Amino acid sequence: MSALPPDPPPDRQPVTRRMPPVVPESAVPAASAPPPAVTPAGSPAAAVPPAWAPPGPTPPPRSRVVLRAGPFWGGAFATALVAALVGVVGVLVLQSILDVDLVVKDPAGVENDYLAYGLAGFVAAIAAAALLHLLVVSTPRPRAFFGWILALGIVVAALLPLTWTDDTTSALCTGLVNLLIGVAIWSLLSGVLARTTAVVTT
């Protein structure tokens, strides 16, 4: 009996390689952020104010007195003219009309009682205005300091004639004229200061 021929080998199926699926970029998870830094125990941490914390204190406003020099010195010269006239009127009433011998000091050497008192009143007013201007630009309370200085100066001017003569009547009348001149300077310059200054807040 003849041998049967071997069975033919089965047909080989073609081998197909599978490619990995393509994943879209939007589906790829982003790289995670690094973990927050941990402050080690015992180390000082910066204080972070909460969002609801009120703002810090604001510095208090500063105020200063501004002097208008032009109108001030215009008022000062007008005050000096009034003071000179007060001295002249004082000499006229007391010495020429009431026949009281005034103790007149004449440092300028004008050799006239009217001129001597008029010049003294004018110079005293200008000196007081210069003092007031200096106090305004250099002291916190110029009116108070000026009031004290001028009040004491008026008292000295009113009492000083008592040391010049033994005639009490003459000394008192001279002191009265000095007092009137001082009061006129004080009152007028105080009004001038009130009209020529302003408080500015910065």
Side-chain angles (χ1 to χ4, degrees):
M1 207 173 164
S2 61
L4 296 174
D7 296 333
D11 296 337
R12 293 183 178 181
Q13 299 292 332
V15 178
T16 303
R17 293 184 179 182
R18 295 183 177 180
M19 299 297 292
V22 179
V23 181
E25 295 182 359
S26 59
V28 179
S32 59
V38 179
T39 304
S43 62
V48 179
W52 49 264
T58 57
R62 297 180 179 179
S63 60
R64 60 190 181 91
V65 178
V66 177
L67 177 68
R68 294 180 294 163
F72 174 81
W73 279 104
F77 278 104
T79 300
L81 180 60
V82 172
L85 292 176
V86 169
V88 171
V89 171
V91 174
L92 175 64
V93 172
L94 294 176
Q95 186 163 274
S96 299
I97 298 177
L98 299 180
D99 199 17
V100 177
D101 291 331
L102 299 179
V103 186
V104 180
K105 295 296 183 179
D106 188 11
V110 294
E111 298 181 357
N112 185 291
D113 293 345
Y114 292 98
L115 291 179
Y117 250 106
L119 182 61
F122 189 91
V123 172
I126 295 299
L131 173 64
L132 181 55
H133 193 169
L134 178 63
L135 292 174
V136 168
V137 300
S138 62
T139 60
R141 298 183 61 189
R143 290 181 177 87
F145 288 111
F146 180 73
W148 274 98
I149 294 173
L150 206 61
L152 295 175
I154 292 173
V155 171
V156 171
L159 298 179
L160 196 60
L162 294 172
T163 65
W164 294 343
T165 180
D166 295 334
D167 189 348
T168 306
T169 302
S170 178
L172 290 178
C173 290
T174 305
L176 177 61
V177 177
N178 295 344
L179 178 64
L180 293 176
I181 293 175
V183 171
I185 293 173
W186 188 0
S187 61
L188 291 175
L189 284 182
S190 298
V192 169
L193 181 66
R195 294 286 185 175
T196 57
T197 54
V199 179
V200 178
T201 303
T202 57

